[in-house]
Amino acid sequence: MILLTLGTQLPFDRLVKALDQIAPTLDQPIFGQIGRSTYRPKSFEWAESMDPRVFDEKFRSADLVVSHAGIGTILTAQKHGKPIVLFPREARYGEHRNDHQLATSSQLTGRPGIYIARTPEELEVIIRARPQAASTAADLEQKRTSFVARLAQQIDTLAGGR
């Protein structure tokens, strides 16, 4: 499932509409927490807000999170090991009072598990590419342990071959 989350303070019709337009062509369901947005999605389930426990359950079950560039959502995605696509609000569209979300996004560009889209077309390309979350510390430890074991086996094989 793709989880769209926008916070509850400001509307973000541009993102809701962009996701609604591509939703019918995707092979996974979308659930949106759309806050005060006035655009109502036709192609996916949504709620303005949710009980924190319900929201946490939706977040945990999501394969991908699509969001404004709110730092709380970014940190929650990192905590739960979820890939996140940021679609920053822009002042020129009246979506925020300034462009701090553009600044946040630019600082996070290229970080593992964080993807940035500024247009509906970029959003669609990223979603279709099936973005992956950053490796967690446990993932990295497992990979390190596996690598060390394979390396030790190779060394033993080479040493035994003398």
PDB file of all heavy atoms in Angstrom, residues 12 14 88-96 99 118:
ATOM      1  N   PHE A  12      -3.115  20.683   0.585  1.00  0.00           N
ATOM      2  CA  PHE A  12      -2.087  20.431  -0.427  1.00  0.00           C
ATOM      3  C   PHE A  12      -2.743  19.734  -1.620  1.00  0.00           C
ATOM      4  O   PHE A  12      -2.423  18.598  -1.971  1.00  0.00           O
ATOM      5  CB  PHE A  12      -0.956  19.596   0.155  1.00  0.00           C
ATOM      6  CG  PHE A  12       0.336  19.637  -0.625  1.00  0.00           C
ATOM      7  CD1 PHE A  12       0.514  20.474  -1.729  1.00  0.00           C
ATOM      8  CD2 PHE A  12       1.388  18.831  -0.259  1.00  0.00           C
ATOM      9  CE1 PHE A  12       1.704  20.502  -2.429  1.00  0.00           C
ATOM     10  CE2 PHE A  12       2.593  18.845  -0.951  1.00  0.00           C
ATOM     11  CZ  PHE A  12       2.747  19.688  -2.053  1.00  0.00           C
ATOM     12  N   ARG A  14      -2.518  20.146  -4.788  1.00  0.00           N
ATOM     13  CA  ARG A  14      -1.677  19.795  -5.940  1.00  0.00           C
ATOM     14  C   ARG A  14      -1.155  18.363  -5.815  1.00  0.00           C
ATOM     15  O   ARG A  14      -1.166  17.596  -6.781  1.00  0.00           O
ATOM     16  CB  ARG A  14      -0.519  20.791  -6.061  1.00  0.00           C
ATOM     17  CG  ARG A  14       0.351  20.604  -7.294  1.00  0.00           C
ATOM     18  CD  ARG A  14       1.284  21.794  -7.494  1.00  0.00           C
ATOM     19  NE  ARG A  14       2.187  21.996  -6.384  1.00  0.00           N
ATOM     20  CZ  ARG A  14       3.478  21.628  -6.364  1.00  0.00           C
ATOM     21  NH1 ARG A  14       4.008  21.044  -7.425  1.00  0.00           N
ATOM     22  NH2 ARG A  14       4.213  21.869  -5.311  1.00  0.00           N
ATOM     23  N   PRO A  88       7.637  18.603  -2.038  1.00  0.00           N
ATOM     24  CA  PRO A  88       7.611  19.799  -1.186  1.00  0.00           C
ATOM     25  C   PRO A  88       6.533  20.805  -1.576  1.00  0.00           C
ATOM     26  O   PRO A  88       6.254  21.019  -2.755  1.00  0.00           O
ATOM     27  CB  PRO A  88       9.006  20.399  -1.365  1.00  0.00           C
ATOM     28  CG  PRO A  88       9.562  19.787  -2.593  1.00  0.00           C
ATOM     29  CD  PRO A  88       8.865  18.485  -2.810  1.00  0.00           C
ATOM     30  N   ARG A  89       5.940  21.386  -0.557  1.00  0.00           N
ATOM     31  CA  ARG A  89       5.006  22.500  -0.770  1.00  0.00           C
ATOM     32  C   ARG A  89       5.812  23.682  -1.297  1.00  0.00           C
ATOM     33  O   ARG A  89       6.955  23.882  -0.886  1.00  0.00           O
ATOM     34  CB  ARG A  89       4.339  22.898   0.543  1.00  0.00           C
ATOM     35  CG  ARG A  89       3.491  21.813   1.165  1.00  0.00           C
ATOM     36  CD  ARG A  89       2.968  22.296   2.522  1.00  0.00           C
ATOM     37  NE  ARG A  89       2.333  21.245   3.262  1.00  0.00           N
ATOM     38  CZ  ARG A  89       1.032  20.963   3.241  1.00  0.00           C
ATOM     39  NH1 ARG A  89       0.232  21.696   2.485  1.00  0.00           N
ATOM     40  NH2 ARG A  89       0.545  19.985   3.968  1.00  0.00           N
ATOM     41  N   GLU A  90       5.195  24.488  -2.166  1.00  0.00           N
ATOM     42  CA  GLU A  90       5.887  25.645  -2.720  1.00  0.00           C
ATOM     43  C   GLU A  90       5.073  26.917  -2.491  1.00  0.00           C
ATOM     44  O   GLU A  90       3.866  26.948  -2.721  1.00  0.00           O
ATOM     45  CB  GLU A  90       6.154  25.443  -4.217  1.00  0.00           C
ATOM     46  CG  GLU A  90       7.102  24.285  -4.491  1.00  0.00           C
ATOM     47  CD  GLU A  90       7.515  24.190  -5.948  1.00  0.00           C
ATOM     48  OE1 GLU A  90       7.713  25.261  -6.582  1.00  0.00           O
ATOM     49  OE2 GLU A  90       7.643  23.060  -6.444  1.00  0.00           O
ATOM     50  N   ALA A  91       5.782  27.950  -2.064  1.00  0.00           N
ATOM     51  CA  ALA A  91       5.134  29.235  -1.785  1.00  0.00           C
ATOM     52  C   ALA A  91       4.483  29.821  -3.036  1.00  0.00           C
ATOM     53  O   ALA A  91       3.409  30.420  -2.954  1.00  0.00           O
ATOM     54  CB  ALA A  91       6.145  30.217  -1.199  1.00  0.00           C
ATOM     55  N   ARG A  92       5.091  29.618  -4.202  1.00  0.00           N
ATOM     56  CA  ARG A  92       4.543  30.211  -5.434  1.00  0.00           C
ATOM     57  C   ARG A  92       3.155  29.684  -5.770  1.00  0.00           C
ATOM     58  O   ARG A  92       2.409  30.324  -6.504  1.00  0.00           O
ATOM     59  CB  ARG A  92       5.489  29.999  -6.605  1.00  0.00           C
ATOM     60  CG  ARG A  92       5.608  28.550  -7.064  1.00  0.00           C
ATOM     61  CD  ARG A  92       6.574  28.431  -8.219  1.00  0.00           C
ATOM     62  NE  ARG A  92       6.883  27.051  -8.500  1.00  0.00           N
ATOM     63  CZ  ARG A  92       7.221  26.609  -9.680  1.00  0.00           C
ATOM     64  NH1 ARG A  92       7.316  27.441 -10.700  1.00  0.00           N
ATOM     65  NH2 ARG A  92       7.486  25.334  -9.856  1.00  0.00           N
ATOM     66  N   TYR A  93       2.790  28.510  -5.233  1.00  0.00           N
ATOM     67  CA  TYR A  93       1.445  27.963  -5.434  1.00  0.00           C
ATOM     68  C   TYR A  93       0.528  28.255  -4.246  1.00  0.00           C
ATOM     69  O   TYR A  93      -0.590  27.750  -4.188  1.00  0.00           O
ATOM     70  CB  TYR A  93       1.511  26.448  -5.650  1.00  0.00           C
ATOM     71  CG  TYR A  93       2.267  26.032  -6.883  1.00  0.00           C
ATOM     72  CD1 TYR A  93       3.385  25.206  -6.776  1.00  0.00           C
ATOM     73  CD2 TYR A  93       1.871  26.439  -8.158  1.00  0.00           C
ATOM     74  CE1 TYR A  93       4.088  24.803  -7.899  1.00  0.00           C
ATOM     75  CE2 TYR A  93       2.569  26.042  -9.285  1.00  0.00           C
ATOM     76  CZ  TYR A  93       3.673  25.228  -9.146  1.00  0.00           C
ATOM     77  OH  TYR A  93       4.365  24.830 -10.263  1.00  0.00           O
ATOM     78  N   GLY A  94       1.021  29.011  -3.272  1.00  0.00           N
ATOM     79  CA  GLY A  94       0.228  29.320  -2.088  1.00  0.00           C
ATOM     80  C   GLY A  94       0.100  28.150  -1.129  1.00  0.00           C
ATOM     81  O   GLY A  94      -0.806  28.123  -0.302  1.00  0.00           O
ATOM     82  N   GLU A  95       1.021  27.187  -1.215  1.00  0.00           N
ATOM     83  CA  GLU A  95       0.940  25.984  -0.387  1.00  0.00           C
ATOM     84  C   GLU A  95       1.607  26.148   0.974  1.00  0.00           C
ATOM     85  O   GLU A  95       1.394  25.332   1.876  1.00  0.00           O
ATOM     86  CB  GLU A  95       1.592  24.812  -1.132  1.00  0.00           C
ATOM     87  CG  GLU A  95       0.852  24.478  -2.411  1.00  0.00           C
ATOM     88  CD  GLU A  95       1.640  23.650  -3.393  1.00  0.00           C
ATOM     89  OE1 GLU A  95       2.879  23.511  -3.255  1.00  0.00           O
ATOM     90  OE2 GLU A  95       1.010  23.137  -4.332  1.00  0.00           O
ATOM     91  N   HIS A  96       2.413  27.199   1.098  1.00  0.00           N
ATOM     92  CA  HIS A  96       3.074  27.500   2.370  1.00  0.00           C
ATOM     93  C   HIS A  96       3.491  28.959   2.346  1.00  0.00           C
ATOM     94  O   HIS A  96       3.484  29.600   1.287  1.00  0.00           O
ATOM     95  CB  HIS A  96       4.291  26.583   2.587  1.00  0.00           C
ATOM     96  CG  HIS A  96       4.407  26.095   4.004  1.00  0.00           C
ATOM     97  ND1 HIS A  96       4.493  26.933   5.085  1.00  0.00           N
ATOM     98  CD2 HIS A  96       4.452  24.845   4.511  1.00  0.00           C
ATOM     99  CE1 HIS A  96       4.579  26.224   6.189  1.00  0.00           C
ATOM    100  NE2 HIS A  96       4.545  24.944   5.862  1.00  0.00           N
ATOM    101  N   ASP A  99       9.471  28.900   1.234  1.00  0.00           N
ATOM    102  CA  ASP A  99       9.928  27.681   0.567  1.00  0.00           C
ATOM    103  C   ASP A  99      10.869  26.825   1.425  1.00  0.00           C
ATOM    104  O   ASP A  99      11.776  26.179   0.910  1.00  0.00           O
ATOM    105  CB  ASP A  99      10.604  28.040  -0.759  1.00  0.00           C
ATOM    106  CG  ASP A  99       9.590  28.347  -1.844  1.00  0.00           C
ATOM    107  OD1 ASP A  99       8.495  27.746  -1.825  1.00  0.00           O
ATOM    108  OD2 ASP A  99       9.885  29.185  -2.708  1.00  0.00           O
ATOM    109  N   ARG A 118       9.265  17.030  -7.686  1.00  0.00           N
ATOM    110  CA  ARG A 118       8.766  18.416  -7.696  1.00  0.00           C
ATOM    111  C   ARG A 118       7.601  18.596  -8.650  1.00  0.00           C
ATOM    112  O   ARG A 118       6.951  19.631  -8.633  1.00  0.00           O
ATOM    113  CB  ARG A 118       9.896  19.369  -8.064  1.00  0.00           C
ATOM    114  CG  ARG A 118      11.074  19.316  -7.119  1.00  0.00           C
ATOM    115  CD  ARG A 118      11.351  20.525  -6.288  1.00  0.00           C
ATOM    116  NE  ARG A 118      10.875  21.788  -6.700  1.00  0.00           N
ATOM    117  CZ  ARG A 118      11.622  22.785  -7.167  1.00  0.00           C
ATOM    118  NH1 ARG A 118      12.912  22.626  -7.324  1.00  0.00           N
ATOM    119  NH2 ARG A 118      11.074  23.932  -7.461  1.00  0.00           N
TER     120      ARG A 118
END
